Amino acid sequence: MMFNKLFSYTQEKLNFLYENSLFLQVLDKLIFVLIILVFLASTCLSSDAIGFIALVATFLTFLQLLTKPGDKCEPNKFELWLLAYFMIVVISLAGSSLFALSLKGFMKTLTYLGFYISTVHYLKNNTKKIPYVLAAIGFCVSAESIIGILQNFAHVDEISTWQDVSKLNPEEVMTRVYGTLKPYNPNLLGGYFVAGIPSLMGLCAYFLNNKHIKFGLVTLGLTLMSVVTLFLTGCRGSYMGCMVMFVVTASIAAKFLWHKYKKVFLAIIASCVMLGTSALLFVSALRARVFSIFAMRQDSSNSFRFNVYHSSLQMFRDNWLLGIGVGNKNFREIYGLYMRTGFDALSAYNIFLETAVESGIFALIAFLGFLFVMLRDGISFILKSSKGNEIIYVSVAVVSILGVMMHGFVDTVFFRPQIQFIFWTMVAIISSVLYNNKCEN
């Protein structure tokens, strides 16, 4: 790559500086600390503060590439699709009628992709640190689950109208927990659990695979607690994401358990189905919330989304080539020209429709190509590899990404930093494992 020639040139010129600078030689450790700090900050700090930490990590990564001898960028196939997507977004930005607002959205995208570059570059050189990254995410998810359970017992009040209670009996009204993620929103917490719970599941599998039974049982308990809290959010999109998450997990687990532990595997699946069915039968608030998914226009939240989808499709038809420009503020300004009276929206409530509206048809194709090739290569690795720990790493990432995509099909929280940073970390895990195995072969 052209960039590698530049990096090689600057590394040669700055070799003396690198050899005599303690700061440059410990950049790897600083980047790792910042990556972990992003996850910790996501639970309590504002979006701007989280983004600032991610930008510092990105800056240090590029500084490392410029100075550390031998460092270079070697993209996987799916990352070429990601590069194409980014270039189309740049073109969309240049053609936006609201350039200033679109520029703000573009800077957010640049921050997320910069964090991805930082994380994937670190993990390619430090694959053994993946369990620590998963542990950081798992710790944050566990902390949020504990807080969510406490909020449920405290019967916290809604900060805004989060559910249609017009047709519900008092016992069917759910206390929707929202944790500490900012802005406070149960849908955001639900999406955060969908993205992060696979990390706990992966840690459980990792510990059991390495014969650390006690740690495996602890992480299993934390996983179950987090799943319970996910349902306490009342976020129906996260319910759908959770179902996808468990179906994919069961499919992957079948590869390893079916032949030797068929009865145990079937017992676990049966137990999960029975628990889910029992919860629906005996918890009226949960049952009402789940069944409202199928209420179509009879539920005000569903009806609102249908109106947004209709208006967003009109926006896409009028701006199909390059879109309107990136960002929710830009979207909101243009959406005002298309919305039905009384149905203002921050986004299209569907990440694929949102991508098409913001950056056009070719950006959507590039994004879908990126997802398809990445998941295809990740699943192929899971099916063909015999490396237990690395299979677990990639499985965690695949499960998380598919769950997030399902949730994002009906909600807008995918674009919040708390979920974005986990999403790009999962992509980085797949990329780093595939890259290192390609180098070994």
Side-chain angles (χ1 to χ4, degrees):
M1 290 181 64
M2 177 184 67
F3 289 116
N4 286 332
K5 292 182 180 179
L6 171 64
F7 295 146
S8 179
Y9 175 79
T10 57
Q11 288 164 12
E12 182 181 348
K13 295 298 181 181
L14 299 174
N15 183 62
F16 176 80
L17 179 63
Y18 180 83
E19 294 294 335
N20 292 276
S21 172
L22 178 62
F23 172 72
L24 293 177
Q25 291 179 21
V26 299
L27 280 179
D28 243 15
K29 295 179 180 178
L30 293 175
I31 292 168
F32 176 67
V33 170
L34 288 169
I35 290 171
I36 300 300
L37 193 57
V38 164
F39 302 130
L40 298 176
S42 294
T43 62
C44 56
L45 297 185
S46 66
S47 298
D48 290 341
I50 304 166
F52 175 76
I53 298 171
L55 284 174
V56 174
T58 304
F59 171 76
L60 294 183
T61 297
F62 279 102
L63 182 61
Q64 185 181 53
L65 282 165
L66 290 171
T67 58
K68 186 177 179 180
D71 254 19
K72 56 184 179 179
C73 291
E74 294 290 345
N76 288 302
K77 289 180 181 179
F78 66 81
E79 288 168 324
L80 298 178
W81 283 95
L82 184 59
L83 178 61
Y85 165 77
F86 177 73
M87 296 306 296
I88 295 169
V89 169
V90 172
I91 296 171
S92 175
L93 167 67
S96 175
S97 58
L98 297 174
F99 181 82
L101 290 178
S102 188
L103 182 61
K104 293 180 180 179
F106 174 78
M107 291 307 297
K108 292 179 182 178
T109 302
L110 194 63
T111 300
Y112 296 141
L113 292 180
F115 177 78
Y116 168 69
I117 292 172
S118 183
T119 306
V120 74
H121 183 73
Y122 177 83
L123 292 181
K124 281 180 178 179
N125 298 321
N126 302 274
T127 308
K128 292 182 179 179
K129 293 292 186 180
I130 292 178
Y132 295 94
V133 173
L134 297 180
I137 298 173
F139 171 80
C140 295
V141 169
S142 300
E144 287 298 322
S145 69
I146 294 171
I147 293 169
I149 289 173
L150 293 175
Q151 288 179 340
N152 179 68
F153 281 117
H155 296 289
V156 291
D157 295 327
E158 293 182 357
I159 296 175
S160 61
T161 306
W162 286 333
Q163 59 184 322
D164 185 354
V165 299
S166 59
K167 299 180 178 66
L168 298 179
N169 295 321
E171 67 272 10
E172 293 177 328
V173 178
M174 175 178 283
T175 298
R176 300 188 62 188
V177 304
Y178 48 83
T180 63
L181 308 184
K182 296 181 180 179
Y184 300 133
N185 187 322
N187 287 357
L188 174 57
L189 183 61
Y192 183 74
F193 281 134
V194 170
I197 286 176
S199 296
L200 285 170
M201 297 164 63
L203 283 172
C204 179
Y206 174 81
F207 287 133
L208 294 177
N209 184 58
N210 291 280
K211 312 302 181 185
H212 302 305
I213 307 300
K214 292 182 180 179
F215 289 113
L217 293 176
V218 169
T219 49
L220 176 61
L222 293 174
T223 301
L224 295 175
M225 181 176 64
S226 299
V227 171
V228 169
T229 314
L230 182 153
F231 282 95
L232 294 177
T233 65
C235 175
R236 297 169 299 173
S238 70
Y239 293 175
M240 297 164 65
C242 187
M243 291 306 299
V244 169
M245 187 171 69
F246 280 114
V247 168
V248 176
T249 300
S251 301
I252 294 172
K255 174 192 173 184
F256 306 99
L257 301 178
W258 186 259
H259 295 293
K260 292 185 178 179
Y261 306 101
K262 181 178 179 180
K263 292 183 179 179
V264 174
F265 176 75
L266 291 175
I268 293 173
I269 298 299
S271 298
C272 291
V273 173
M274 288 177 62
L275 283 172
T277 304
S278 299
L280 288 176
L281 289 175
F282 297 110
V283 184
S284 58
L286 178 62
R287 182 173 63 251
R289 193 66 185 153
V290 171
F291 285 170
S292 70
I293 295 173
F294 310 101
M296 304 304 285
R297 286 280 185 179
Q298 299 302 312
D299 182 87
S300 63
S301 180
N302 294 350
S303 183
F304 167 74
R305 279 168 170 74
F306 290 140
N307 288 329
V308 174
Y309 295 152
H310 180 268
S311 299
S312 297
L313 284 170
Q314 288 183 316
M315 292 171 66
F316 171 64
R317 281 197 293 266
D318 292 344
N319 304 274
W320 67 272
L321 184 60
L322 294 177
I324 63 173
V326 186
N328 64 301
K329 292 184 178 180
N330 191 53
F331 179 94
R332 193 169 188 177
E333 288 292 324
I334 303 296
Y335 183 81
L337 303 174
Y338 293 86
M339 73 176 184
R340 297 186 178 185
T341 304
F343 289 96
D344 190 16
L346 295 175
S347 74
Y349 283 85
N350 178 297
I351 58 178
F352 306 106
L353 180 56
E354 180 81 13
T355 301
V357 169
E358 289 186 351
S359 304
I361 185 66
F362 296 110
L364 175 62
I365 292 171
F367 185 68
L368 290 174
F370 154 70
L371 286 175
F372 174 78
V373 176
M374 173 185 60
L375 292 171
R376 182 200 65 188
D377 293 350
I379 293 170
S380 177
F381 176 84
I382 293 169
L383 295 176
K384 295 178 181 179
S385 178
S386 58
K387 299 178 179 178
N389 286 341
E390 294 190 352
I391 290 173
I392 292 170
Y393 303 155
V394 176
S395 298
V396 167
V398 168
V399 170
S400 176
I401 290 167
L402 286 172
V404 168
M405 290 298 101
M406 183 67 252
H407 184 194
F409 201 79
V410 295
D411 212 334
T412 184
V413 294
F414 171 75
F415 298 100
R416 299 300 307 176
Q418 293 91 342
I419 297 175
Q420 279 278 308
F421 287 126
I422 294 180
F423 173 81
W424 290 113
T425 299
M426 295 302 173
V427 177
I429 288 173
I430 294 177
S431 180
S432 60
V433 173
L434 295 181
Y435 172 78
N436 284 315
N437 277 271
K438 181 174 65 177
C439 291
E440 291 175 6
N441 296 331

